[in-house]
Amino acid sequence: MHTHFSTIASKYRSVRTLDTKPILYIKDKLKEKSKISMADIGCGDGRYSLEFLKCFDDSFYIHCVDYNEKMLESLESYLVEKNTTNFCVRLGDANRLPLENNSMDCIVTFNAIHHFEVPKFLSESLRSLKDDGHLFIYTRLRNQNSRSIWGEHFPLFADMENRLYELDELEAHIQNADLNIHSTRVFGHSRTSSLDRLVHQAKNKHYSTFDLYDKETFDESLEIFQQNIKKNFDDLEQIRWHDENILIEIKK
């Protein structure tokens, strides 16, 4: 996966989707805090980090943590280009966070938990959070993934993506880490795209799932995917579907 993310780092923002609703939800959850130190774990190219920076004033500071150097290089140039200063980049593993003990008011991770060793990540988050700190995990569950346009129409996609969790599995990990779920919230997203855009995303492996295919299987699956879309959607310029993700809030 390290090679995959290094390869896609320069074009990641152009092929991925940004969900702003959970960001606004987290902002509201943190409204009682006057000064916030946040860590974005598995921050990638900084899409979500920038949105958090837009949401808060100068009392907000974000630590952008990722294990991929190319992603962090892309993030840093992107945030500097956007004239933001209240951030730092920290090369590090989610299973051994480069954060001081009791230093963070909030830790977030977006669409990345399936790349972590969850027990180690939870233990490290517990160590790094201040008392009354928040941990937010935004992800798609296996059942949500199977109902996406990719899970329903791209052959083998749901079977290939065996790294995702169901809610009860994450709940068990959280309970074993002596942490408690404060709330869960499912976010629905109405999507619209053209077939050309979907094919472009798949060819550029906007989901790391596509890196699990060998070339021959991917090419065959992409051809069938296009046939499935043409069969099931009338307007190939305005293909509409509904995605779901879940946000888990944990309080220390």
Side-chain angles (χ1 to χ4, degrees):
M1 283 298 108
H2 189 276
T3 301
H4 163 76
F5 286 111
S6 294
T7 301
I8 201 173
S10 63
K11 55 189 175 184
Y12 201 58
R13 277 187 298 277
S14 68
V15 294
R16 287 301 298 260
T17 301
L18 174 68
D19 299 331
T20 57
K21 287 191 287 187
I23 296 171
L24 297 175
Y25 181 84
I26 292 171
K27 178 187 178 183
D28 185 65
K29 287 283 187 174
L30 301 176
K31 64 185 177 184
E32 301 302 324
K33 295 184 181 292
S34 59
K35 189 176 181 179
I36 299 171
S37 292
M38 176 184 284
D40 182 2
I41 311 303
C43 59
D45 64 356
R47 295 172 303 128
Y48 285 97
S49 300
L50 178 61
E51 291 304 311
F52 279 113
L53 285 160
K54 289 178 181 178
C55 277
F56 293 95
D57 59 23
D58 289 342
S59 65
F60 175 82
Y61 193 89
I62 191 164
H63 301 251
C64 305
V65 180
D66 204 281
Y67 80 121
N68 189 283
E69 303 92 335
K70 294 293 185 184
M71 280 291 189
L72 288 178
E73 288 172 8
S74 178
L75 175 148
E76 188 164 23
S77 62
Y78 179 56
L79 295 189
V80 169
E81 178 185 303
K82 297 296 181 180
N83 297 315
T84 56
T85 57
N86 292 0
F87 76 95
C88 66
V89 297
R90 307 187 83 164
L91 181 65
D93 195 304
N95 309 317
R96 190 175 179 180
L97 295 177
L99 303 171
E100 294 72 28
N101 294 346
N102 306 307
S103 60
M104 294 292 119
D105 298 291
C106 181
I107 293 174
V108 300
T109 182
F110 279 76
N111 300 313
I113 190 73
H114 55 290
H115 295 297
F116 304 164
E117 293 181 46
V118 176
K120 291 183 179 179
F121 168 67
L122 292 173
S123 176
E124 283 290 276
S125 295
L126 180 61
R127 174 188 65 78
S128 303
L129 283 171
K130 298 177 183 177
D131 291 339
D132 199 34
H134 290 70
L135 168 62
F136 292 96
I137 299 170
Y138 183 73
T139 187
R140 65 190 189 279
L141 303 174
R142 276 201 308 276
N143 69 83
Q144 293 170 330
N145 188 57
S146 67
R147 296 194 301 272
S148 71
I149 197 166
W150 306 104
E152 289 192 341
H153 299 295
F154 202 102
L156 303 175
F157 186 85
D159 296 325
M160 286 279 192
E161 188 45 89
N162 59 8
R163 300 164 297 177
L164 296 173
Y165 295 92
E166 294 292 13
L167 180 57
D168 61 339
E169 295 169 335
L170 289 172
E171 288 174 334
H173 280 304
I174 291 164
Q175 185 176 9
N176 290 338
D178 291 326
L179 291 165
N180 294 307
I181 293 178
H182 186 69
S183 68
T184 60
R185 171 78 177 268
V186 173
F187 287 89
H189 306 286
S190 297
R191 311 287 198 203
T192 304
S193 183
S194 67
L195 178 56
D196 286 346
R197 167 70 175 168
L198 293 173
V199 170
H200 173 75
Q201 287 178 302
K203 286 182 175 180
N204 283 277
K205 300 180 180 179
H206 76 305
Y207 281 138
S208 61
T209 312
F210 291 120
D211 212 39
L212 304 175
Y213 289 75
D214 62 56
K215 185 180 186 306
E216 182 179 355
T217 304
F218 175 82
D219 290 343
E220 291 175 357
S221 297
L222 180 61
E223 181 60 36
I224 295 170
F225 171 74
Q226 293 177 79
Q227 294 171 13
N228 289 340
I229 295 297
K230 292 174 182 177
K231 186 186 306 179
N232 287 278
F233 297 90
D234 294 328
D235 187 349
L236 299 183
E237 293 300 318
Q238 294 287 319
I239 299 164
R240 302 181 189 277
W241 74 98
H242 189 78
D243 279 345
E244 285 186 348
N245 294 73
I246 192 167
L247 180 68
I248 300 171
E249 177 191 7
I250 299 165
K251 290 186 73 174
K252 182 174 177 180

